[in-house]
Amino acid sequence: MAGADSRGRAAPGEDVKPFTPEKTREIVMSLQQPAVFCNMVGDWPALHWDVKHLSAMLDGKTIQFRIGLKAMDLVPQFETSCSYVKATLEEFFAWSSGQPSSLSGPFSCFEHSKYWAYADYKYIARIFEDKEEVFQDVRWSDFGFPGRSGKESTLWIGSEGANTPCHLDSYGCNLVLQIQGRKRWHLFPPGDTSFLYPTRIPYEESSIFSKVNVANPDLKRFPEFKNTTAHVVTLSPGQVLLVPKHWWHYVESIDPITVSINSWIELDSDHEARVEEAITRTLVCALKSAESSSDGDPWLNPTEVEATSHEVNLQYLNQAVSVYFKCQKANVSEQAHRSSRAGQETRAPCKRRKRQVSCEPQDCQLLNHEFSSSTFKAEELQKIPFGPHLIQVLPQSQETSSLGAGAVASDDRDLLHENEGGHFGKLHCTRKQLVMSNDCTTPANQMDSDSSPNALQAALSTNDLLDCLVNPHVIRLVAQLLLERARV
């Protein structure tokens, strides 16, 4: 596009975009594979939200950072195995830059060469609750979602090596804007689920984790991982990545400092997914709470406030089922009257809230009804306007996808240059405030609970049982049977 650079920034005074909001929304709701939008956000004020700018905006306010080891192990660094500190962005910048002042600050116990820090899942509505005007710096209306701004978005700030364990989000699809530095995304299609050894321990609503450290896979323990089809892309500032529903992803920061913003887009299928999540919560809490607390198994992810009681979980399940049928009925009514309302804009669906499921009939429009995977014909995919403004994320060769961390070294290239060669959730919820400690303790539980050399000879554990009971395929079947029973 004339007047725009390869990082998606428009020239001064220009705000011409390659796609209209309506076309962009159609692409987002129809595309079932990851892709990168370029030249769509050049006029967004949020592009100036680098660490220095954010530091001035926060004005000394502290935020929580997750601390992990840079050393690559065979096991994922789940949030339960990390340390946590509260610090200002000034202190984070000093530490990540190796400044002497960081030797006495909150990061003083963590040598920069050995550790990374990540301020993840920071809801903009919360950290800037006293500066609501900044919400409008994020303009998802350009992607066809009017009214969606920073208020419905999440901020991520990390140092080099900071990463999110491989997981899939149960709800919605994901739009991710890169602002500062680069992040490398390892994505796997939903069909690879069984090859990624899914687990719900640590438990977090709406997140299904993989037991595999995809950057350094243990192929002896997880031999089926070699059958995965990795899609790896390096996201640069000004670019927006679309992560379709149920695509697995492992994300790592590859520059000294990275800043990104994302927003989860609700889908009509989220109503059934809430039923599945309610079943999962009920099973996990019941079985894990029955275990002795002395076994040292940190099964509840720090993002969860508490292990809810069976009574509460059952109420949540019944509420999720009720909302499912209410919205299903509203959708049927909407389809019946669709012809008389042709041309009217589809209203936004219910917002996702953990254990706060509510849906009025008028708010249950099918966000992706017209562009669902079941009705979107294969030939229509050929009409997706891939090119310099919408770059398809293609799979790696099988050889490189199974090589782990060493395989991505050659992938550290500009996205558009790669294209020239032909290749390339969460929920808005109250997160648990962990007890902060600045003493020099090493991160706890660096090893997975069942990763000992003798794990194969050991008796089956509660976690083994849970992994089978709450396997996504099993939960999906249970949800369908439960909904059928409730329908009678």
Side-chain angles (χ1 to χ4, degrees):
M1 178 180 183
D5 63 25
S6 64
R7 293 192 171 190
R9 300 175 188 268
E14 294 188 8
D15 59 359
V16 178
K17 303 183 188 300
F19 307 115
T20 64
E22 294 76 19
K23 183 61 179 179
T24 310
R25 178 187 176 114
E26 178 183 339
I27 295 170
V28 169
M29 304 314 295
S30 63
L31 198 53
Q32 300 300 310
Q33 62 185 82
V36 175
F37 289 92
C38 300
N39 307 311
M40 285 293 294
V41 296
D43 58 346
W44 286 26
L47 278 186
H48 301 291
W49 285 22
D50 59 15
V51 163
K52 289 186 177 180
H53 185 81
L54 288 169
S55 178
M57 290 169 64
L58 288 171
D59 193 23
K61 185 176 183 177
T62 61
I63 56 178
Q64 179 175 286
F65 287 85
R66 178 163 59 95
I67 310 293
L69 284 168
K70 288 185 176 180
M72 191 63 70
D73 202 347
L74 291 176
V75 229
Q77 286 195 64
F78 292 120
E79 294 179 56
T80 51
S81 65
C82 291
S83 296
Y84 293 81
V85 300
K86 274 194 171 182
T88 65
L89 282 184
E90 292 93 334
E91 292 167 327
F92 166 73
F93 182 78
W95 175 78
S96 60
S97 305
Q99 296 178 13
S101 60
S102 65
L103 297 177
S104 59
F107 295 100
S108 59
C109 297
F110 305 100
E111 189 177 336
H112 178 252
S113 62
K114 296 181 180 179
Y115 293 91
W116 48 258
Y118 208 5
D120 49 1
Y121 299 104
K122 303 306 175 194
Y123 291 98
I124 293 173
R126 188 165 302 137
I127 63 174
F128 292 120
E129 59 185 352
D130 56 341
K131 297 181 179 179
E132 295 185 3
E133 65 275 7
V134 306
F135 297 167
Q136 303 310 313
D137 287 5
V138 182
R139 303 171 178 174
W140 296 115
S141 56
D142 287 341
F143 284 75
F145 302 100
R148 183 176 290 268
S149 65
K151 186 177 182 180
E152 294 82 23
S153 304
T154 312
L155 185 65
W156 309 69
I157 305 167
S159 65
E160 185 175 1
N163 63 80
T164 304
C166 186
H167 69 285
L168 69 78
D169 300 313
S170 303
Y171 306 144
C173 62
N174 195 1
L175 288 173
V176 186
L177 165 64
Q178 194 62 28
I179 295 175
Q180 179 178 0
R182 295 166 301 157
K183 281 185 173 179
R184 184 177 289 121
W185 286 71
H186 303 244
L187 300 120
F188 303 87
D192 281 356
T193 293
S194 61
F195 306 142
L196 287 161
Y197 299 83
T199 181
R200 296 310 299 259
I201 303 297
Y203 173 74
E204 173 184 270
E205 183 183 339
S206 80
S207 294
I208 302 174
F209 292 104
S210 168
K211 287 186 175 182
V212 184
N213 182 352
V214 301
N216 188 30
D218 184 348
L219 294 181
K220 289 185 178 180
R221 189 176 173 210
F222 306 114
E224 293 299 313
F225 178 74
K226 66 180 182 293
N227 296 320
T228 59
T229 304
H231 296 59
V232 181
V233 62
T234 299
L235 198 65
S236 297
Q239 296 173 339
V240 176
L241 173 66
L242 165 64
V243 182
K245 180 179 180 178
H246 287 176
W247 273 72
W248 293 83
H249 46 285
Y250 165 81
V251 191
E252 57 180 335
S253 297
I254 60 174
D255 282 332
I257 293 179
T258 63
V259 177
S260 52
I261 291 174
N262 86 296
S263 189
W264 284 280
I265 307 299
E266 301 88 342
L267 303 174
D268 62 310
S269 56
D270 290 345
H271 297 306
E272 184 170 353
R274 286 194 189 95
V275 177
E276 296 174 6
E277 285 299 305
I279 296 169
T280 301
R281 174 181 287 274
T282 302
L283 288 172
V284 172
C285 289
L287 287 174
K288 294 303 291 183
S289 297
E291 276 191 325
S292 170
S293 59
S294 62
D295 59 8
D297 178 16
W299 64 272
L300 194 65
N301 210 47
T303 57
E304 291 292 321
V305 176
E306 61 183 354
T308 44
S309 69
H310 182 70
E311 289 73 22
V312 169
N313 292 334
L314 202 57
Q315 290 175 9
Y316 179 47
L317 174 58
N318 279 283
Q319 191 177 11
V321 169
S322 174
V323 169
Y324 170 84
F325 285 118
K326 180 186 291 185
C327 291
Q328 192 177 57
K329 182 178 180 181
N331 289 330
V332 170
S333 175
E334 165 64 19
Q335 292 177 45
H337 294 85
R338 184 172 294 275
S339 58
S340 64
R341 298 168 54 191
Q344 291 187 13
E345 183 179 2
T346 305
R347 297 173 183 172
C350 315
K351 292 184 179 179
R352 294 166 290 150
R353 296 184 180 89
K354 286 188 181 179
R355 283 168 281 143
Q356 294 180 4
V357 186
S358 63
C359 184
E360 294 303 322
Q362 67 269 23
D363 293 325
C364 294
Q365 314 279 338
L366 290 183
L367 184 61
N368 64 342
H369 171 76
E370 296 180 69
F371 315 113
S372 67
S373 58
S374 60
T375 59
F376 197 78
K377 298 179 181 179
E379 57 264 26
E380 293 296 318
L381 288 176
Q382 299 177 5
K383 299 180 181 179
I384 297 294
F386 292 118
H389 310 301
L390 180 65
I391 303 174
Q392 190 175 7
V393 181
L394 299 175
Q396 286 184 306
S397 67
Q398 186 59 51
E399 179 182 359
T400 57
S401 67
S402 62
L403 291 178
V408 298
S410 62
D411 191 63
D412 188 11
R413 297 168 292 174
D414 184 85
L415 185 64
L416 294 179
H417 293 166
E418 293 174 15
N419 192 38
E420 291 170 4
H423 298 286
F424 291 70
K426 303 289 170 197
L427 301 180
H428 293 266
C429 59
T430 303
R431 298 173 66 85
K432 183 178 181 181
Q433 297 299 313
L434 298 183
V435 176
M436 301 300 143
S437 174
N438 290 332
D439 58 6
C440 297
T441 57
T442 56
N445 302 303
Q446 288 293 345
M447 291 295 289
D448 189 44
S449 60
D450 55 350
S451 61
S452 64
N454 297 322
L456 293 178
Q457 288 76 40
L460 291 175
S461 66
T462 304
N463 286 0
D464 295 321
L465 176 61
L466 269 173
D467 283 339
C468 295
L469 286 175
V470 298
N471 180 283
H473 301 299
V474 175
I475 289 296
R476 189 165 299 116
L477 176 59
V478 172
Q480 291 170 356
L481 291 171
L482 196 64
L483 290 170
E484 192 63 35
R485 177 183 291 262
R487 195 189 310 272
V488 176

